Amino acid sequence: MIQGIFYARFLPQEGTKIVAQSPPGCIVPVTTPGPNTAPVPSQTISNLNASITSSSTTPGTSTTTPAIKSPLFDFAVLSEYIIPREPFRNRYITVTDPDNKYLVLGFPVSIPDPRYHRNEFIFNFGLVVDHDVDQVPYERVVRRLAITFAEMERQSGYLSQDQTKAQGECAWEERRDKIEDGGFFLTRRPIESLLEIIKEDLNNYGECMIPVDDANTINMKLFPYHPNPPEVKSWHVPVAKMKLADIVDPTWDLTLQKVIAHIDGVSDVRRIAFQADVSLELTQLALRHLLYYDTILLLDMFFFSSCYAPRPGIHDFIANVDGMVDECANYVCVGALRINSNDNDKYSNPRSSSTTTLNNSSAMNSFSTTPRSSSHHLSTSPNNLSPETHSHHPTSPFHNPSSSSSLLSIERDHRLPNYILIKLMTTFAPSKTVMEWLKMHMDAGIDVLRYVDVRRLVQFGVIKGCLYRVHKHVVSKQYLASLATGQSRRLTEREAAARGGGRRDPLQKYTDGCHCFDEIITEMDMTEAEVMERLKGFRGAPAGDLTVLHR
């Protein structure tokens, strides 16, 4: 958001001067005139520290005491950067105020011409924005202001003429210049009015179209800056941050529409391409477009044989910062079983219970996908649950056969206590697969599969920065040595005969340590167990040469 906008000039006798600013007083202090008081011109460096005395009141007139608005920063400190020295003119510059609160964005322009005093006209149109605001979208605005007014000055002396005329008349009144050929009067906006309209329109609408005179119009628009999206791999899993079906327009690219229809948070890119009947390259290109506009994110494929480990963000989850644990419960809990004391039959056969619900659609709609400072939300439909979430058993999450009768009078809900969710999230370990993690909690009496969608729990942890995926890579020392020397080992005659020719094992190119198992599984169309079996019988390397690394 633009906090202030100004127009500065370099005057030979006075130095750097703020000619116009919006809002008034944002750069240099100004007095607020009363109803019958003429406005006070902007101050220069020479009189910044001069005391401002109250204007005397005339009997019979109603005036107000002049008020001073506090500037955003100390202009005396940054004045030499508002109109900098020669090497910094005619280029985009940014300046941070001493308090590190605001950024001053400017484009000082120098127009050499003999008609000016000292043969040069120097000015700068600048913006003041918060220090933590992305300044890239505003760079084009600053450049456009400098280029537009520089060209208007070269053609008609708009800025220098405006200053000359303003010395003999009120700067706050709109002047009417006679157009000779048309024979009529046209209102010409003063600089102060232009700056105010530019600031308000850009802040409220993100664009502005302002006629300056009969021949010039200022057209500007703020375009959000998006970094180049990462490369989309065939083994990535796209997850939507919003309901894409609600924003799809029939005029969109047909390939993009077909790809969006199959983004469910479970399918990998290769499967989406197959289901949408689109080539893999076009699917990856379409997903990069969605990534560019920050509508999806990419996750790893989920397997029960995968390993996950906690990250430092797990501390925020334990502390339930911004209700993160409650948010997790609303997303990962999948079923509810309500039991009454006189409902023994329903308890013994939950499938026949009319009060048993397997889907919590209201809780699964969305959760924020980035750390708590972000406002983006992820939405997934209930039909994307993994198969294990539909299995339910007539046991509580803390099942104890001896205490089953005492639980009949308790209403069991799908909502697990926070400390159980924290325990589930914090017990992931790099050396423990999801299956081993699940078995550990099942043996401890927590029926995880009945109350928690494991895939969603892992997905939530990864998105929130609580967990990270521990990938597996296979490394062949012999293959690495051949790559280092620039030679790839050829198969021996016996190896070539055993393989039915001179072709090397297709898995060999994945043994350099740079390819994770997800890539091998996707590109080779094999399961992880099949990959491990192939590696055990790998003939492209001697026994003991292959090593599987977790990182």
Side-chain angles (χ1 to χ4, degrees):
M1 181 176 180
I2 300 176
Q3 301 296 334
I5 183 172
F6 63 88
Y7 162 51
R9 275 195 58 187
F10 181 79
L11 302 179
Q13 291 80 17
E14 304 177 38
T16 302
K17 177 183 178 181
I18 299 297
V19 179
Q21 54 186 329
S22 179
C26 65
I27 309 300
V28 295
V30 295
T31 57
T32 304
N36 300 327
T37 307
V40 180
S42 302
Q43 299 186 20
T44 60
I45 298 177
S46 59
N47 60 3
L48 275 177
N49 298 323
S51 59
I52 302 177
T53 59
S54 301
S55 59
S56 59
T57 58
T58 304
T61 61
S62 60
T63 59
T64 59
T65 303
I68 301 176
K69 184 177 180 179
S70 177
L72 299 176
F73 55 85
D74 189 352
F75 177 71
V77 176
L78 299 184
S79 60
E80 60 178 320
Y81 304 104
I82 301 298
I83 302 292
R85 299 186 179 182
E86 181 64 30
F88 298 98
R89 297 173 189 167
N90 297 317
R91 63 183 61 193
Y92 176 73
I93 62 173
T94 62
V95 184
T96 305
D97 74 312
D99 296 332
N100 204 30
K101 293 177 58 179
Y102 299 103
L103 278 176
V104 181
L105 316 179
F107 196 99
V109 178
S110 174
I111 303 178
D113 196 291
R115 62 176 173 167
Y116 301 120
H117 191 66
R118 295 189 181 181
N119 299 326
E120 192 175 26
F121 184 81
I122 306 173
F123 70 94
N124 185 11
F125 282 88
L127 303 179
V128 181
V129 298
D130 293 325
H131 183 268
D132 55 350
V133 170
D134 184 13
Q135 58 179 284
V136 176
Y138 297 101
E139 179 179 348
R140 297 182 180 180
V141 173
V142 174
R143 291 180 179 272
R144 174 55 58 187
L145 285 173
I147 293 173
T148 301
F149 282 102
E151 190 62 30
M152 292 169 61
E153 173 63 24
R154 292 188 182 96
Q155 293 179 1
S156 60
Y158 180 86
L159 297 176
S160 56
Q161 186 183 35
D162 180 83
Q163 181 66 17
T164 303
K165 288 185 177 182
Q167 294 176 356
E169 59 186 74
C170 180
W172 298 90
E173 291 183 0
E174 292 187 346
R175 298 182 305 279
R176 298 177 179 272
D177 297 335
K178 180 66 180 281
I179 300 179
E180 298 179 357
D181 53 353
F184 60 89
F185 290 90
L186 177 66
T187 301
R188 174 179 172 180
R189 297 181 186 272
I191 299 295
E192 293 86 350
S193 175
L194 285 175
L195 295 184
E196 182 179 2
I197 297 175
I198 291 173
K199 172 181 172 294
E200 294 299 327
D201 284 1
L202 291 181
N203 282 340
N204 295 329
Y205 310 109
E207 59 182 351
C208 67
M209 185 181 67
I210 308 170
V212 180
D213 52 26
D214 62 318
N216 298 282
T217 302
I218 298 177
N219 293 280
M220 293 184 296
K221 185 173 182 178
L222 288 175
F223 291 94
Y225 172 75
H226 300 284
N228 290 330
E231 187 175 355
V232 178
K233 302 296 185 179
S234 59
W235 58 90
H236 284 156
V237 177
V239 180
K241 288 186 175 182
M242 59 186 67
K243 292 184 179 180
L244 296 176
D246 295 343
I247 64 174
V248 173
D249 190 271
T251 61
W252 284 17
D253 180 76
L254 295 179
T255 301
L256 187 60
Q257 295 184 49
K258 295 174 68 176
V259 169
I260 287 177
H262 295 88
I263 297 178
D264 55 8
V266 180
S267 303
D268 56 84
V269 175
R270 185 197 59 166
R271 180 178 298 181
I272 291 176
F274 176 78
Q275 294 175 345
D277 194 20
V278 177
S279 67
L280 180 60
E281 293 76 14
L282 289 179
T283 302
Q284 292 172 329
L285 181 61
L287 292 175
R288 288 199 73 191
H289 279 288
L290 296 177
L291 274 176
Y292 179 79
Y293 291 105
D294 198 29
T295 56
I296 65 171
L297 53 85
L298 298 178
L299 299 180
D300 296 310
M301 302 169 66
F302 175 78
F303 299 103
F304 279 95
S305 58
S306 302
C307 298
Y308 293 86
R311 299 184 65 180
I314 196 73
H315 297 291
D316 292 339
F317 187 82
I318 296 173
N320 196 17
V321 176
D322 291 341
M324 189 182 296
V325 180
D326 301 322
E327 190 178 0
C328 176
N330 292 332
Y331 183 72
V332 306
C333 296
V334 296
L337 180 62
R338 301 184 182 276
I339 304 170
N340 299 323
S341 58
N342 57 355
D343 225 351
N344 295 339
D345 294 338
K346 293 181 180 180
Y347 176 69
S348 61
N349 185 11
R351 295 181 182 273
S352 64
S353 174
S354 59
T355 59
T356 301
T357 58
L358 297 179
N359 291 328
N360 181 23
S361 57
S362 62
M364 295 176 190
N365 271 341
S366 64
F367 75 87
S368 61
T369 62
T370 54
R372 50 193 178 277
S373 60
S374 173
S375 61
H376 295 299
H377 290 272
L378 168 74
S379 63
T380 9
S381 59
N383 58 3
N384 294 334
L385 300 179
S386 53
E388 70 272 12
T389 61
H390 293 277
S391 62
H392 52 287
H393 310 283
T395 58
S396 70
F398 327 107
H399 178 57
N400 185 352
S402 61
S403 61
S404 296
S405 58
S406 62
L407 295 176
L408 293 179
S409 59
I410 302 177
E411 183 182 52
R412 292 173 177 81
D413 191 65
H414 72 289
R415 175 66 165 88
L416 293 179
N418 284 3
Y419 76 94
I420 293 295
L421 290 174
I422 293 174
K423 182 178 180 180
L424 294 177
M425 187 69 73
T426 55
T427 48
F428 286 99
S431 59
K432 187 185 302 179
T433 65
V434 177
M435 183 62 71
E436 295 171 345
W437 167 89
L438 181 61
K439 186 177 184 300
M440 179 188 70
H441 289 291
M442 296 290 286
D443 293 341
I446 303 177
D447 195 353
V448 179
L449 290 180
R450 181 184 177 210
Y451 288 91
V452 173
D453 184 346
V454 179
R455 177 186 61 81
R456 284 173 173 256
L457 179 65
V458 171
Q459 188 180 72
F460 183 92
V462 172
I463 293 175
K464 286 294 188 177
C466 302
L467 302 176
Y468 71 91
R469 170 76 180 279
V470 181
H471 285 282
K472 292 195 291 186
H473 303 261
V474 58
V475 178
S476 171
K477 293 178 287 185
Q478 180 174 307
Y479 185 59
L480 287 179
S482 64
L483 292 177
T485 58
Q487 299 177 352
S488 296
R489 175 183 175 276
R490 294 181 178 275
L491 298 176
T492 63
E493 295 181 1
R494 181 178 298 179
E495 291 173 343
R499 304 217 35 102
R503 300 177 60 186
R504 66 183 61 177
D505 195 312
L507 285 178
Q508 188 172 25
K509 67 177 182 178
Y510 300 108
T511 59
D512 58 355
C514 299
H515 305 274
C516 63
F517 264 49
D518 288 358
E519 180 179 357
I520 302 175
I521 291 171
T522 304
E523 295 185 355
M524 297 295 295
D525 198 16
M526 302 167 61
T527 64
E528 183 174 347
E530 292 173 345
V531 173
M532 292 299 297
E533 191 66 28
R534 284 280 298 273
L535 291 176
K536 291 178 181 178
F538 187 67
R539 299 182 179 181
D545 180 66
L546 296 179
T547 304
V548 177
L549 302 178
H550 293 75
R551 64 178 185 182

